[in-house]
Amino acid sequence: MVPISTALGDARSVLNVGAGTGSYEPGIDRAVLAVEPSRQMIRQRPGNAGPAVAAIAEALPVRDRAVDAALAVLTVHHWSDWRQGLAELCRAAPIRVVLAYDTARHTDFWFVREYVPEIADLELSRPSAEDIATELGAHTITTLPVPWDFTDGVFPAYWRRPAAYLDPRVRQSCSALAQTHPDAVDRGIRRLRRDLETGHWHETHRDLLGMTEWDAGFRLIESSA
């Protein structure tokens, strides 16, 4: 992702915290060490990816200022102690780049507002981008709108393609849906299916159909010592 690469600047070594399978990892022009608590995720990393260690953000297995930059992409909201995790980013690197989201924007997403409002309780319990930026003493916060044809399976990626949410595989890849009670999700999906069949969704959200990108609340946060 170009904005992330730009934010990393001239950093030659990067600690990718909560790396998952490495989807947003910097390219081969930088030395990358991935930190990921799930061994299953680590096993799914491509063969040409950088080395990975099983560890948590709250206790990074590196010395102080071990790398030029620490990167955390859509992971802070999963940490058990997000403030401690951010403190560890600051300890490990002079440059910190975090991709997070505005939880209020997520709760106002049409899928949440109209179909599965229970998701709002989960989202509002998580740290928002503004909270993270304040904790890091961020110097730059950049809005990253979501293109209508975004290929990443992040929760609001299908804001203009509602039928995608009918696919169980899509729902399983969205943590907000996977962590919400199945009965609530099933109820919402039944209603969405009905509204798509009757044309009600398209009538209600005709304004979205002409948009090429939408602000789902994603923010790129930059901090440096």
Side-chain angles (χ1 to χ4, degrees), residues 116 118-119 122 175-188:
V116 190
E118 290 82 356
I119 293 174
L122 171 64
S175 64
L177 289 171
Q179 295 175 23
T180 299
H181 197 286
D183 291 346
V185 176
D186 289 345
R187 183 203 64 229

Side-chain angles (χ1 to χ4, degrees), residues 3-201:
I4 291 177
S5 180
T6 300
L8 289 172
D10 296 330
R12 307 311 306 164
S13 57
V14 178
L15 186 68
N16 188 15
V17 181
T21 60
S23 299
Y24 291 101
E25 214 146 88
I28 59 175
D29 58 325
R30 307 179 199 263
V32 178
L33 173 63
V35 174
E36 168 55 46
S38 169
R39 294 184 184 278
Q40 181 179 0
M41 287 284 191
I42 291 176
R43 286 193 293 269
Q44 295 176 40
R45 291 171 59 80
N48 61 349
V53 295
I56 60 174
E58 296 88 339
L60 294 175
V62 297
R63 66 182 187 278
D64 294 358
R65 294 297 192 266
V67 292
D68 296 330
L71 173 66
V73 178
L74 297 178
T75 179
V76 175
H77 58 281
H78 292 303
W79 300 351
S80 59
D81 185 340
W82 62 273
R83 288 186 174 87
Q84 176 60 26
L86 294 180
E88 280 288 271
L89 296 190
C90 294
R91 180 186 66 80
I95 298 172
R96 286 80 65 169
V97 177
V98 176
L99 178 57
Y101 61 89
D102 181 332
T103 54
R105 290 287 300 178
H106 265 40
T107 57
D108 194 43
F109 179 32
W110 60 258
F111 187 95
V112 178
R113 190 176 62 246
E114 300 168 21
Y115 298 100
V116 190
E118 290 82 356
I119 293 174
D121 293 335
L122 171 64
E123 294 290 12
L124 293 177
S125 71
R126 293 170 161 177
S128 192
E130 184 176 354
D131 301 322
I132 294 168
T134 298
E135 192 73 15
L136 286 174
H139 59 74
T140 303
I141 304 174
T142 304
T143 297
L144 299 181
V146 180
W148 77 271
D149 56 352
F150 196 41
T151 56
D152 188 288
V154 68
F155 176 44
Y158 308 99
W159 58 269
R160 211 185 87 174
R161 296 170 289 165
Y165 292 109
L166 303 182
D167 186 339
R169 294 169 298 180
V170 168
R171 298 197 298 273
Q172 281 299 315
S173 69
C174 301
S175 64
L177 289 171
Q179 295 175 23
T180 299
H181 197 286
D183 291 346
V185 176
D186 289 345
R187 183 203 64 229
I189 292 300
R190 287 195 299 271
R191 182 179 176 187
L192 175 59
R193 180 178 286 108
R194 182 177 66 247
D195 286 354
L196 290 173
E197 290 172 350
T198 63
H200 176 74
W201 187 92

Side-chain angles (χ1 to χ4, degrees), residues 193-212:
R193 180 178 286 108
R194 182 177 66 247
D195 286 354
L196 290 173
E197 290 172 350
T198 63
H200 176 74
W201 187 92
H202 290 81
E203 178 64 25
T204 303
H205 298 288
R206 62 171 64 188
D207 57 318
L208 295 180
L209 301 178
M211 297 171 61
T212 59

